Amino acid sequence: MVATVEARAARAAVATPRPLRRTGIAWVFVAPFVVVFAVFWAGPLLVGLGMSFTDMRSTDVRNPLGVDLVGLRNYLRLFDDELMRKAAFNTLVFVVTTLPLTLGLGLAAAVALNSGIARLPAAFFRLGYYLPYITSIIGIAVAWRFLLDPEAGPVNQLLAAVGVDGPSWLADETLALPVIIVMTAWRSFGFDMVIFLAALQGIPKELYEAAEVDGAGRWERFRWVTLPMLRPALLFCTVYSSIGFTQFMEEPLVMTKGGPAGATTSASLAIYNQFGSGNFGYAGAAATVLFTVIAALAFLQFRLARPR
């Protein structure tokens, strides 16, 4: 009997992978991600950081070691560049307005669907709201540019039918950025709606019943039950959307090319234009600053809004 137990223990010891072997197996599974991250994320980030301290231009690509170090000159130049300051301001306005608008629309749609306010199946509305998010940004931007065309666009034609002269939506400095904000919020709130709806369906009904027994009305139940239980979902949507909105570029690139007079030029679009002009060192400095701002913003949001 003792010999049998010892034999089984020996076989189990042989069959159990050693720590080193388990570590090797784990690295085999994570290796694809590590390679992709190093080649397409960490690598370009480090290269851009290195370029930001040089005067590298497109003509130096064949001889990258022949560039001159300029220290912090590119970073100091950012503060004197009026176009970069305007692009940073446009990005700030875009994020500050689009983020709460998207979160509010997504939460409202999720609450409405979760409460059964819609007579049609909820899956129909989930698909309809989510479809713009999974549609190509370029395709949506082209469609909106056509709809808002001052001459042949359906929007201005409808306004003309009721005797209203439609404006040049994308050629007006005061209207171009708000139009892009509205389009982005319309396209993006479906993603937040899906996240909020999943979180709402995970809230125990007993909490609402207990609050109702205590005399809480609809608003009190939403304020003291729903919102606290949605904090993880709110944090995720806030951080995820903030990162995406801070980097917005395709919308103004397709719809206005950053105009009129830089009114819709974003930080990412300004960096893209600098790379296209061959100012690699200057563009690298701007990209590094943008990355730092995004990382700091995400860290701050996690610190302030994380569930306690």
Side-chain angles (χ1 to χ4, degrees), residues 233-256:
L234 281 168
L235 175 60
F236 171 77
C237 290
T238 300
V239 174
Y240 185 84
S241 298
S242 297
I243 293 174
F245 292 158
T246 308
Q247 303 176 80
F248 86 105
M249 186 190 76
E250 292 89 344
E251 298 91 337
L253 177 64
V254 174
M255 298 178 70
T256 63

Side-chain angles (χ1 to χ4, degrees), residues 127-128 130-141 143 186-187:
L127 177 62
Y130 192 68
L131 189 60
Y133 181 78
I134 61 177
T135 305
S136 169
I137 300 179
I138 305 300
I140 289 180
W186 167 80
R187 176 185 177 271

Side-chain angles (χ1 to χ4, degrees), residues 31-47:
F33 167 78
V34 172
V35 172
V36 172
F37 178 82
V39 174
F40 295 102
W41 291 93
L45 179 63
L46 294 176
V47 171

Side-chain angles (χ1 to χ4, degrees), residues 98-111 113 126 129-130 133 184-200 230 232-242 245:
T98 309
L99 180 61
L101 185 60
T102 303
L103 291 175
L105 290 174
L107 181 57
V111 171
L113 290 177
R126 285 200 297 266
Y129 291 143
Y130 192 68
Y133 181 78
T184 304
W186 167 80
R187 176 185 177 271
S188 304
F189 85 90
F191 174 83
D192 293 346
M193 179 207 66
V194 172
I195 301 298
F196 288 141
L197 185 59
L200 286 170
L230 287 180
L234 281 168
L235 175 60
F236 171 77
C237 290
T238 300
V239 174
Y240 185 84
S241 298
S242 297
F245 292 158

Side-chain angles (χ1 to χ4, degrees), residues 144-196:
W144 274 67
R145 188 177 63 182
F146 166 73
L147 292 173
L148 300 175
D149 185 271
E151 301 297 334
V155 174
N156 277 6
Q157 289 184 355
L158 289 175
L159 293 176
V162 295
V164 177
D165 293 331
S168 297
W169 300 95
L170 300 177
D172 191 315
E173 292 186 32
T174 60
L175 293 177
L177 187 58
V179 166
I180 294 178
I181 290 173
V182 171
M183 186 201 72
T184 304
W186 167 80
R187 176 185 177 271
S188 304
F189 85 90
F191 174 83
D192 293 346
M193 179 207 66
V194 172
I195 301 298
F196 288 141

